[in-house]
Amino acid sequence: MQQNSDNITFLYPAGGTDWDALRHMAPLEPFSEGAVAFLSALSATLMRDPLTRTMPDVATFAFFCRKANLERLRKAHTLTGELRMGRGVLFHVAPSNVPVNFAYSLVAGILSGNANVVRVPSKDFPQVALIVKSIGAVLSCETDPQGFRNRIALVRYERGGRATDTLSA
Protein backbone atom coordinates (compact mmCIF):
# COMPACT_ATOMS: atom_id res chain seq x y z
CA MET A 1 0.00 0.00 0.00
CA GLN A 2 1.25 3.42 -0.93
CA GLN A 3 0.17 6.70 0.63
CA ASN A 4 0.37 10.01 -1.22
CA SER A 5 0.52 13.66 -0.12
CA ASP A 6 -3.28 13.84 0.32
CA ASN A 7 -3.10 10.95 2.83
CA ILE A 8 -4.72 8.64 0.30
CA THR A 9 -3.70 5.03 0.80
CA PHE A 10 -3.95 2.79 -2.25
CA LEU A 11 -5.30 -0.66 -1.43
CA TYR A 12 -5.37 -1.54 -5.14
CA PRO A 13 -3.13 -1.15 -7.02
CA ALA A 14 -0.71 -1.27 -4.11
CA GLY A 15 1.79 1.04 -5.80
CA GLY A 16 -0.78 3.70 -6.70
CA THR A 17 -2.36 4.43 -10.04
CA ASP A 18 -1.56 6.46 -13.13
CA TRP A 19 -4.23 9.16 -12.79
CA ASP A 20 -3.65 10.53 -16.28
CA ALA A 21 -4.10 7.11 -17.88
CA LEU A 22 -7.20 6.44 -15.75
CA ARG A 23 -8.70 9.82 -16.66
CA HIS A 24 -8.37 9.05 -20.38
CA MET A 25 -9.63 5.46 -20.15
CA ALA A 26 -12.19 4.77 -22.86
CA PRO A 27 -15.57 3.57 -21.59
CA LEU A 28 -16.77 0.07 -22.34
CA GLU A 29 -20.14 -1.25 -23.35
CA PRO A 30 -22.26 -2.09 -20.29
CA PHE A 31 -22.11 -5.74 -19.28
CA SER A 32 -19.09 -6.27 -21.54
CA GLU A 33 -17.72 -9.77 -21.88
CA GLY A 34 -14.56 -8.68 -20.04
CA ALA A 35 -16.54 -7.20 -17.14
CA VAL A 36 -18.59 -10.36 -16.72
CA ALA A 37 -15.46 -12.53 -16.95
CA PHE A 38 -13.63 -10.45 -14.34
CA LEU A 39 -16.55 -10.43 -11.89
CA SER A 40 -17.17 -14.16 -12.39
CA ALA A 41 -13.51 -14.86 -11.63
CA LEU A 42 -13.76 -12.65 -8.53
CA SER A 43 -16.82 -14.62 -7.42
CA ALA A 44 -15.00 -17.93 -7.86
CA THR A 45 -11.92 -16.67 -6.02
CA LEU A 46 -14.00 -15.47 -3.08
CA MET A 47 -16.02 -18.71 -2.96
CA ARG A 48 -12.81 -20.78 -2.80
CA ASP A 49 -11.42 -18.78 0.13
CA PRO A 50 -12.28 -20.46 3.46
CA LEU A 51 -12.61 -17.03 5.13
CA THR A 52 -15.64 -16.31 2.97
CA ARG A 53 -17.60 -18.95 4.88
CA THR A 54 -17.07 -16.95 8.07
CA MET A 55 -18.38 -13.71 6.50
CA PRO A 56 -21.97 -14.02 5.24
CA ASP A 57 -21.88 -10.55 3.65
CA VAL A 58 -18.85 -11.51 1.54
CA ALA A 59 -20.47 -14.83 0.60
CA THR A 60 -23.60 -12.96 -0.51
CA PHE A 61 -21.46 -10.58 -2.57
CA ALA A 62 -19.61 -13.50 -4.20
CA PHE A 63 -22.94 -15.16 -4.99
CA PHE A 64 -24.18 -11.88 -6.53
CA CYS A 65 -21.12 -11.75 -8.86
CA ARG A 66 -21.74 -15.21 -10.35
CA LYS A 67 -21.92 -15.28 -14.15
CA ALA A 68 -25.51 -16.58 -14.11
CA ASN A 69 -26.66 -13.65 -11.98
CA LEU A 70 -24.76 -11.13 -14.11
CA GLU A 71 -26.37 -12.55 -17.27
CA ARG A 72 -29.80 -12.26 -15.61
CA LEU A 73 -29.04 -8.62 -14.77
CA ARG A 74 -27.78 -7.97 -18.31
CA LYS A 75 -31.01 -9.28 -19.81
CA ALA A 76 -33.08 -7.18 -17.41
CA HIS A 77 -31.12 -3.95 -17.96
CA THR A 78 -30.17 -3.86 -21.63
CA LEU A 79 -32.34 -3.23 -24.64
CA THR A 80 -31.86 -5.29 -27.79
CA GLY A 81 -30.35 -3.27 -30.59
CA GLU A 82 -29.50 -0.27 -28.43
CA LEU A 83 -25.80 0.35 -27.85
CA ARG A 84 -24.85 2.24 -24.72
CA MET A 85 -21.42 3.08 -23.35
CA GLY A 86 -20.09 3.95 -19.93
CA ARG A 87 -19.42 7.61 -19.15
CA GLY A 88 -15.69 7.34 -18.35
CA VAL A 89 -14.34 7.41 -14.80
CA LEU A 90 -16.51 7.16 -11.70
CA PHE A 91 -15.49 8.25 -8.21
CA HIS A 92 -17.41 6.33 -5.54
CA VAL A 93 -17.62 7.34 -1.90
CA ALA A 94 -19.30 4.31 -0.40
CA PRO A 95 -20.92 4.45 3.04
CA SER A 96 -18.45 3.41 5.71
CA ASN A 97 -20.87 1.67 8.05
CA VAL A 98 -21.36 -1.46 5.91
CA PRO A 99 -18.04 -3.07 4.92
CA VAL A 100 -19.15 -4.62 1.62
CA ASN A 101 -21.02 -1.60 0.18
CA PHE A 102 -17.89 -0.42 -1.63
CA ALA A 103 -17.75 -3.71 -3.56
CA TYR A 104 -21.35 -3.47 -4.80
CA SER A 105 -20.68 0.11 -5.88
CA LEU A 106 -17.59 -1.07 -7.76
CA VAL A 107 -19.62 -3.80 -9.49
CA ALA A 108 -22.20 -1.24 -10.64
CA GLY A 109 -19.42 0.92 -12.06
CA ILE A 110 -17.75 -2.01 -13.83
CA LEU A 111 -20.99 -3.33 -15.29
CA SER A 112 -21.93 0.12 -16.56
CA GLY A 113 -18.66 0.26 -18.54
CA ASN A 114 -16.67 2.72 -16.46
CA ALA A 115 -13.23 2.93 -14.89
CA ASN A 116 -13.60 3.28 -11.12
CA VAL A 117 -11.97 4.99 -8.16
CA VAL A 118 -13.62 3.72 -4.99
CA ARG A 119 -13.11 5.00 -1.46
CA VAL A 120 -13.36 2.02 0.87
CA PRO A 121 -14.26 2.39 4.56
CA SER A 122 -11.46 3.96 6.59
CA LYS A 123 -11.95 1.32 9.31
CA ASP A 124 -10.01 -1.91 8.78
CA PHE A 125 -12.84 -4.39 8.22
CA PRO A 126 -11.74 -7.98 7.49
CA GLN A 127 -14.37 -8.15 4.73
CA VAL A 128 -12.72 -5.25 2.90
CA ALA A 129 -9.30 -6.87 3.20
CA LEU A 130 -10.61 -10.17 1.82
CA ILE A 131 -12.36 -8.58 -1.17
CA VAL A 132 -9.39 -6.35 -1.99
CA LYS A 133 -7.02 -9.32 -1.73
CA SER A 134 -9.26 -11.33 -4.06
CA ILE A 135 -9.48 -8.50 -6.60
CA GLY A 136 -5.69 -8.30 -6.60
CA ALA A 137 -5.38 -12.06 -7.02
CA VAL A 138 -7.76 -12.14 -9.98
CA LEU A 139 -6.12 -9.20 -11.71
CA SER A 140 -2.57 -10.43 -11.12
CA CYS A 141 -3.09 -13.80 -12.82
CA GLU A 142 -5.81 -13.12 -15.39
CA THR A 143 -4.94 -12.38 -19.00
CA ASP A 144 -6.99 -9.20 -18.51
CA PRO A 145 -7.91 -8.48 -22.17
CA GLN A 146 -10.06 -5.47 -21.23
CA GLY A 147 -7.38 -3.94 -18.99
CA PHE A 148 -9.36 -4.16 -15.76
CA ARG A 149 -6.22 -3.99 -13.65
CA ASN A 150 -5.86 -0.42 -14.92
CA ARG A 151 -9.58 0.41 -14.60
CA ILE A 152 -9.82 0.06 -10.82
CA ALA A 153 -8.33 2.08 -7.97
CA LEU A 154 -9.36 1.27 -4.39
CA VAL A 155 -8.37 3.98 -1.94
CA ARG A 156 -8.70 4.69 1.76
CA TYR A 157 -8.45 7.99 3.56
CA GLU A 158 -9.88 9.67 6.63
CA ARG A 159 -12.77 12.10 6.41
CA GLY A 160 -11.91 15.73 6.11
CA GLY A 161 -8.79 17.02 4.47
CA ARG A 162 -8.60 17.52 0.74
CA ALA A 163 -8.56 13.92 -0.53
CA THR A 164 -12.17 13.96 -1.72
CA ASP A 165 -11.61 17.27 -3.53
CA THR A 166 -8.44 15.91 -5.15
CA LEU A 167 -10.15 12.73 -6.34
CA SER A 168 -13.27 14.57 -7.48
CA ALA A 169 -11.19 16.88 -9.66
Side-chain angles (χ1 to χ4, degrees), residues 124-164:
D124 280 332
F125 288 108
Q127 296 95 323
V128 172
L130 177 57
I131 293 169
V132 170
K133 178 186 85 168
S134 297
I135 288 170
V138 169
L139 292 178
S140 69
C141 66
E142 189 180 336
T143 57
D144 197 29
Q146 296 286 348
F148 276 92
R149 78 176 47 96
N150 299 320
R151 298 181 73 81
I152 298 171
L154 303 176
V155 298
R156 174 179 282 149
Y157 58 88
E158 295 296 325
R159 290 177 131 175
R162 57 184 201 188
T164 296

Side-chain angles (χ1 to χ4, degrees), residues 74-135:
R74 182 186 60 74
K75 287 177 185 167
H77 295 288
T78 57
L79 300 172
T80 306
E82 185 176 316
L83 178 64
R84 293 181 177 236
M85 300 298 282
R87 301 292 291 178
V89 181
L90 299 181
F91 172 47
H92 312 249
V93 179
S96 292
N97 61 337
V98 180
V100 181
N101 274 352
F102 86 93
Y104 285 103
S105 187
L106 175 63
V107 168
I110 289 171
L111 290 176
S112 62
N114 297 291
N116 298 271
V117 178
V118 182
R119 178 183 181 249
V120 304
S122 50
K123 182 179 176 192
D124 280 332
F125 288 108
Q127 296 95 323
V128 172
L130 177 57
I131 293 169
V132 170
K133 178 186 85 168
S134 297
I135 288 170

Side-chain angles (χ1 to χ4, degrees), residues 39-52:
L39 293 170
S40 296
L42 176 59
S43 173
T45 300
L46 284 166
M47 291 300 228
R48 280 192 303 271
D49 194 309
L51 275 177
T52 298

